[in-house]
Amino acid sequence: MKELDSRKLTTGKGIGLLSGGYGEDAKLKISFEFSPPKSQELEEKLWQAIKRLEPLQPGFVSVTYGAGGSTRERTHATVKRIVDETSLKPAAHLTCVGADKEAIDDVIRSYWEAGVRHIVALRGDPPTGIGTKYEPHPGGYAGSPELIEGIKRIADFEVSVGCYPEQHPDAATAQSDLDILKRKIDAGATRAITQFFFDPDVFLRFLDQVRAEGIEIPIVPGIMPVNGFKGVRRMAEAAGASVPDWLIKLFDGLEKDPETRKLIAASLVVEQCLRLREAGIDQFHFYTMNKADLTYAICHILGVRATSQ
Ligand code: FAD
């Protein structure tokens, strides 16, 4: 057997759990994404997750808006409850789909009146399904830059937007994604959150391209803890996020073994975040899927500690 180099083993100040993960890390910024629940039972589960994650004091928590505006009331109710019952700062997602400007403006105004000061502004997907041609609603906002202008006309909300390390499926070229990102920033966006991805290098390459365009706003990696592999794979295919072969192999044969899947998902997300942290990334947005456990664990490893309320 090859002799081990003990000097390398003891002096290597790498990252990872074996080097102690991260100590308390005040500079790290985190945020969490939740979806409005579809039933009373799911509402209870969502609130268990929110309460478990609240002491980590994220910069904000965002609440998604269902395709075609289908969750408008539920998104509003969830955001309002976060304002009323927690110390968290909610960001409401809003899309241009399925409503004219007047109806969307009413939603924007009602958020401001409810005490919400942050919107994640998105074009949204066509009601006919992802992959079909997007047509703006008659009388509606034409796209995300126009929606941001509309939001800013109503009140001085903080505006975050989406961006796509692996190119949005509708983008003619990677450059057209970057061009629209610039238009969104010109309209008032001050943060972009990425579509999820699995390979940290995909994010880092995209970040280089964004910075080369002179875009300075924070580009926050969207981190997906892969809880149920099948569902995530479906979402990734629809969203244009590549699913690497090595990831498929990792979950191969575990279709009926949720416990092992969860252990693997945890180590995967830990490795992904530690690599990004090592590359200097200091903000993470977690797609929690309304579950706290994996997100809580990775935040702990990254040095985010609960503070008492
Ligand atoms: P944009 O950045 O405006 O555009 C994306 C690409 O599409 C660009 O390359 C652009 O060139 C091209 N494009 C835009 N308009 C047109 C057009 N008219 N014709 C041809 N090409 C065009 N969806 C929801 O329904 N609810 C949510 O809560 C939600 N949250 C999200 C959160 C994040 C962080 C992300 C990344 C996505 C989210 N989505 C959500 C999905 C999002 O709505 C879709 O990806 C949508 O297709 C693009 O929205 P956008 O604002 O990011 O697009």
Side-chain angles (χ1 to χ4, degrees), residues 33 63-69 93-95 97 120-126 133-136 142-145 161-164 168-173 176-178 180-181 184 193-196 285 287:
E33 183 170 305
V63 180
T64 62
Y65 195 73
H93 291 217
L94 185 61
T95 74
V97 177
V120 181
L122 302 141
R123 185 197 71 175
D125 289 311
K133 187 169 161 38
Y134 180 85
E135 298 283 359
S144 51
V161 292
C163 64
Y164 299 86
H168 186 279
D170 288 354
T173 61
S176 53
D177 260 350
L178 294 171
I180 201 159
L181 180 56
K184 295 194 276 195
I193 302 167
T194 75
Q195 183 61 275
F196 66 87
H285 182 76
Y287 294 111

Side-chain angles (χ1 to χ4, degrees), residues 84-144:
D84 292 344
E85 297 181 25
T86 74
S87 60
L88 298 166
K89 290 196 187 93
H93 291 217
L94 185 61
T95 74
C96 310
V97 177
D100 61 21
K101 283 185 192 170
E102 223 169 281
I104 291 179
D105 289 355
D106 282 346
V107 175
I108 298 167
R109 274 188 285 271
S110 68
Y111 279 132
W112 189 265
E113 281 156 21
V116 178
R117 297 292 179 263
H118 184 173
I119 291 181
V120 181
L122 302 141
R123 185 197 71 175
D125 289 311
T128 40
I130 299 179
T132 61
K133 187 169 161 38
Y134 180 85
E135 298 283 359
H137 188 273
Y141 285 107
S144 51

Side-chain angles (χ1 to χ4, degrees), residues 20-211:
Y22 276 87
E24 199 156 330
D25 190 347
K27 275 191 250 132
L28 191 68
K29 294 185 188 140
I30 50 159
S31 52
F32 303 134
E33 183 170 305
F34 299 106
S35 298
K38 288 194 182 123
S39 66
Q40 187 59 38
E41 194 193 340
L42 292 175
E43 170 142 12
E44 276 158 32
K45 288 205 168 123
L46 165 66
W47 277 85
Q48 280 165 14
I50 292 177
K51 286 290 174 191
R52 171 97 171 112
L53 293 170
E54 183 181 8
L56 298 180
Q57 290 289 294
F60 65 93
V61 294
S62 76
V63 180
T64 62
Y65 195 73
S70 56
T71 65
R72 184 183 310 175
E73 281 76 25
R74 281 188 279 131
T75 299
H76 193 281
T78 306
V79 166
K80 178 89 174 66
R81 195 170 160 196
I82 291 172
V83 173
D84 292 344
E85 297 181 25
T86 74
S87 60
L88 298 166
K89 290 196 187 93
H93 291 217
L94 185 61
T95 74
C96 310
V97 177
D100 61 21
K101 283 185 192 170
E102 223 169 281
I104 291 179
D105 289 355
D106 282 346
V107 175
I108 298 167
R109 274 188 285 271
S110 68
Y111 279 132
W112 189 265
E113 281 156 21
V116 178
R117 297 292 179 263
H118 184 173
I119 291 181
V120 181
L122 302 141
R123 185 197 71 175
D125 289 311
T128 40
I130 299 179
T132 61
K133 187 169 161 38
Y134 180 85
E135 298 283 359
H137 188 273
Y141 285 107
S144 51
E146 292 80 3
L147 175 62
I148 298 165
E149 283 162 9
I151 292 169
K152 287 287 189 180
R153 265 195 300 274
I154 290 172
D156 192 18
F157 282 95
E158 178 179 357
V159 177
S160 298
V161 292
C163 64
Y164 299 86
E166 295 181 269
Q167 197 172 321
H168 186 279
D170 288 354
T173 61
Q175 186 60 41
S176 53
D177 260 350
L178 294 171
D179 291 344
I180 201 159
L181 180 56
K182 280 189 196 160
R183 286 182 56 211
K184 295 194 276 195
I185 296 165
D186 290 344
T190 51
R191 175 190 298 100
I193 302 167
T194 75
Q195 183 61 275
F196 66 87
F197 54 88
F198 296 110
D199 180 348
D201 290 341
V202 162
F203 172 84
L204 295 170
R205 273 196 299 272
F206 174 68
L207 188 60
D208 283 347
Q209 286 162 10
V210 168
R211 297 294 181 237

